Amino acid sequence: MKPLPLAPPVKDLYDQDFVEWTVRNAELLRAGRLDEIDIEHLAEEIEDMGKSQQRELESRLVVLLAHLLKWRTQPEGRGSSWRSTVNTQRREIRRMLGKMPSLGRHLEQSMPEAYADAVGSAADETSLPKTAFPKSCPFTRDQIMDEEFFPR
């Protein structure tokens, strides 16, 4: 009987087969074989998981702000679809902040950039020039997250 080939070191799997890399690192962690773990790539992946959550929060904030801006500038377009989008984004942002409270700091820090992106989206969707919107966010965090708040 021919012996099975030795499995490559786990760090070599990172670029060859990411799924197998994750499985092997999880097995090594559970077995307490910490000296065999691909620590550098594992640390990068853990950081990327946090960054992914930050990107999702920013994306939801952009959509929410864009819809609040559209609501403010185009009263004739107000409808259940816009209201639903606003409420969905608020609900999902609250859920994220509830599960990951440290994202609250990121929400504050990302507001200026998210607002600039929201202005771009609102301008594209309304065919209004970017100059039709305030230069800085006209809404407070409390207003943005208040399910009763819709700008007049």
Side-chain angles (χ1 to χ4, degrees), residues 35-140:
D35 57 327
E36 297 175 55
I37 293 171
D38 182 3
I39 291 174
E40 189 57 38
H41 285 126
L42 188 59
E44 287 176 27
E45 290 302 322
I46 290 171
E47 284 175 341
D48 286 347
M49 288 169 40
K51 289 176 184 174
S52 173
Q53 296 301 313
Q54 291 174 346
R55 284 189 300 274
E56 180 181 348
L57 178 68
E58 290 169 12
S59 177
R60 292 188 177 283
L61 184 59
V62 168
V63 172
L64 173 56
L65 290 171
H67 276 74
L68 289 174
L69 287 170
K70 292 186 327 182
W71 191 276
R72 181 180 186 200
T73 58
Q74 289 196 321
E76 69 282 359
R78 295 175 184 167
S80 59
S81 175
W82 285 4
R83 183 178 294 278
S84 176
T85 297
V86 167
N87 288 331
T88 297
Q89 297 310 313
R90 284 176 170 156
R91 187 173 44 255
E92 293 301 321
I93 290 170
R94 271 194 303 277
R95 187 172 290 137
M96 290 182 75
L97 295 176
K99 290 180 179 179
M100 298 167 274
S102 65
L103 280 177
R105 288 189 311 272
H106 187 72
L107 181 71
E108 297 295 330
Q109 294 167 350
S110 64
M111 190 70 73
E113 187 175 341
Y115 180 73
D117 290 347
V119 167
S121 291
D124 289 345
E125 292 178 28
T126 62
S127 299
L128 293 171
K130 290 181 181 179
T131 56
F133 302 96
K135 288 186 181 202
S136 61
C137 186
F139 317 118
T140 66

